[in-house]
Amino acid sequence: MVSQSCAAAYWRMPAAAVSSRAACVARCRTTADVQAAVRIAHALGLPLSVFSGGNDWLGRAVRDRGLVIDVSAMTTIEVDVEARTARIGGGVRSDVLARETESHGLTPVTGTVGLVHMLGLSLGGGYGPLEGRFGLACDNLVSAELVTADGTVRVVDAEHEPDLLWALRGGGGNFGVVTAAVVRLHRIGPVYSGMVVYPWSQAESVLTRLGPLLTSAPDELSVQTIIASGRDGASFVAVMPTWSGAAERGPEATAPVSALGDPISSQIEPTAWHAMIAGVAQSFPAGRHAHFRTRNVASFTPRVVRSLVEAGSSRISSLSALSIHPFHGAATRVPVAEAAFGERRPHQMIEIVGQWEAGAPSDAAWADRVDASLADDAMPGGYPNLLGPDDADQVRDAYGAGAGRLLTIKSRIDSDNVFTATPLPVDLR
């Protein structure tokens, strides 16, 4: 079960600059394996980290000179069609779960990138095209099996340790190793989705016209916005609608997205959920350098639009991009008492993605400049799954009124701060 030392590059890491080297790796297939690994780390005084797929841009799945608990082989999926739930192992990928549940006419709430693992996504929040209708991924976490720092297995649900379930819904992997979980599924069938690409010369007018559409979108319509470059290096702005309502209304509901300007291309059609999220993964191949920042804005005001256009025009690397995710509808109606995820007001979550190949000029400074340019117009806090250890001000505000409750649960469950995944409002180390 336990192997000798290995570098972070052994796995899929999106950031080539990640250089942490683990002392040993526990490749776990059962909950008992995870318990043993936790106890071994405690006995040897080794720091712990948990690896499910290596999609974190900071490489936090590998603690330097620590013990890595690798749950990527824990990939069981058990679908309960009547209950509309799936019990999944800690290493299940989003696209794999979507493909498996699709055969039963059911769909999980995932993000937009299929290679991202379900539980890592869900523990930190989980924005995605279904949030308007069914909430975030974390809102669809029904129960969890958790191995805590003392090696104890806890069953966490609404009846057993509801406080801990609340914390797991957005509080990150800071409470133990989630070896299995039950997630809610939904009967929606194929979605009506696609992409409309506009030339960069129309960027400001397209974003300006898009603003009212975003603020008035019904729950069933999610509209993601991308500012990026094509294969020829030319910048563009793309609008990606997803309609999850009645199939016959798809063309009508998404038509305004194609009328924001004069598009270069437009393709919106019925799409299977697993196929849609599998395609986005091509934009994030392993081995690149990456530097992420994130800001939430209430709307596309004129000043926000200008900042976004300037950001798209000033990139050094054609691989760098902005990915803007809506937060509206059902996600805004989840009571604070139901989940630790702290920001429930409607907003647009801006993912600032600096990417460059090894040996090429860095775009880290660009990402920082874009972040600073949006700061005055941004809401407090940010998306926990994208915040890093240097984002103390945003982390402090990310959990809102629930921050104190979250820290109290953390102190009770993991007083020695053995598990450090996404940052919490106070550094407990």
Side-chain angles (χ1 to χ4, degrees):
M1 179 180 72
V2 179
S3 72
Q4 293 180 346
S5 135
C6 63
Y10 179 83
W11 292 297
R12 173 188 169 85
M13 287 291 177
V18 174
S19 58
S20 300
R21 189 175 183 85
C24 51
V25 178
R27 295 185 173 91
C28 300
R29 295 184 177 276
T30 66
T31 299
D33 288 346
V34 173
Q35 287 181 279
V38 170
R39 289 166 178 157
I40 288 170
H42 178 74
L44 298 178
L46 294 173
L48 272 178
S49 61
V50 182
F51 172 87
S52 60
N55 293 288
D56 176 45
W57 70 281
L58 287 169
R60 287 170 286 199
V62 176
R63 292 283 292 276
D64 202 32
R65 295 184 294 277
L67 189 153
V68 176
I69 297 178
D70 179 356
V71 299
S72 62
M74 301 177 72
T75 56
T76 57
I77 299 173
E78 301 170 5
V79 178
D80 185 329
V81 176
E82 185 175 347
R84 296 189 184 181
T85 60
R87 179 179 171 84
I88 62 175
V92 171
R93 260 178 26 192
S94 299
D95 56 352
V96 175
L97 176 62
R99 187 169 58 246
E100 175 67 22
T101 60
E102 192 174 273
S103 63
H104 301 282
L106 297 168
T107 301
V109 173
T110 72
T112 56
V113 181
L115 288 178
V116 172
H117 289 64
M118 272 302 300
L119 294 184
L121 172 79
S122 300
L123 294 176
Y127 287 76
L130 295 179
E131 50 77 34
R133 196 165 170 201
F134 303 117
L136 298 172
C138 71
D139 300 327
N140 288 270
L141 180 66
V142 177
S143 65
E145 180 182 84
L146 183 75
V147 178
T148 51
D150 60 359
T152 299
V153 178
R154 295 172 182 256
V155 176
V156 181
D157 58 28
E159 296 182 359
H160 307 90
E161 306 207 52
D163 269 5
L164 190 49
L165 177 62
W166 175 89
L168 293 177
R169 289 173 170 166
N174 295 301
F175 304 90
V177 186
V178 179
T179 54
V182 174
V183 298
R184 196 172 290 112
L185 305 174
H186 304 276
R187 196 173 296 282
I188 60 172
V191 295
Y192 200 75
S193 185
M195 177 183 290
V196 181
V197 180
Y198 293 96
W200 190 242
S201 59
Q202 298 178 31
E204 185 169 359
S205 62
V206 166
L207 293 172
T208 299
R209 293 171 184 169
L210 178 60
L213 175 62
L214 294 174
T215 56
S216 63
D219 292 2
E220 299 91 343
L221 179 63
S222 174
V223 182
Q224 184 180 357
T225 310
I226 303 290
I227 292 173
S229 297
R231 293 181 179 179
D232 59 357
S235 298
F236 64 82
V237 57
V239 186
M240 301 170 61
T242 298
W243 171 259
S244 60
E248 65 273 12
R249 291 190 56 202
E252 174 192 0
T254 58
V257 171
S258 300
L260 298 170
D262 298 315
I264 299 171
S265 63
S266 179
Q267 183 174 8
I268 309 174
E269 59 190 3
T271 307
W273 188 260
H274 86 270
M276 185 185 78
I277 63 175
V280 181
Q282 300 171 10
S283 300
F284 298 95
R288 287 179 178 169
H289 290 262
H291 184 73
F292 281 55
R293 301 302 299 265
T294 182
R295 290 286 179 180
N296 295 336
V297 297
S299 62
F300 280 7
T301 64
R303 197 159 69 169
V304 168
V305 168
R306 287 194 296 272
S307 292
L308 295 176
V309 173
E310 172 60 24
S313 300
S314 60
R315 296 169 297 147
I316 294 175
S317 170
S318 62
L319 301 175
S320 296
L322 300 176
S323 180
I324 306 170
H325 305 261
F327 185 91
H328 76 304
T332 69
R333 298 190 289 268
V334 175
V336 174
E338 294 294 321
F341 190 89
E343 182 54 81
R344 292 293 176 172
R345 293 171 294 178
H347 62 268
Q348 301 293 316
M349 187 272 284
I350 303 173
E351 192 174 352
I352 305 164
V353 185
Q355 285 193 106
W356 62 98
E357 300 286 6
S362 167
D363 241 350
W366 168 82
D368 289 340
R369 285 196 303 273
V370 176
D371 175 73
S373 74
L374 291 165
D376 288 343
D377 297 290
M379 302 161 67
Y383 182 28
N385 266 345
L386 294 180
L387 294 175
D390 297 328
D391 301 320
D393 290 345
Q394 286 181 268
V395 171
R396 184 190 62 229
D397 296 323
Y399 293 100
R405 180 183 179 188
L406 188 66
L407 293 175
T408 297
I409 297 169
K410 170 67 172 176
S411 296
R412 175 170 60 86
I413 299 298
D414 183 18
S415 58
D416 293 329
N417 205 29
V418 172
F419 294 99
T420 57
T422 52
L424 292 175
V426 174
D427 188 343
L428 298 179
R429 289 173 297 177

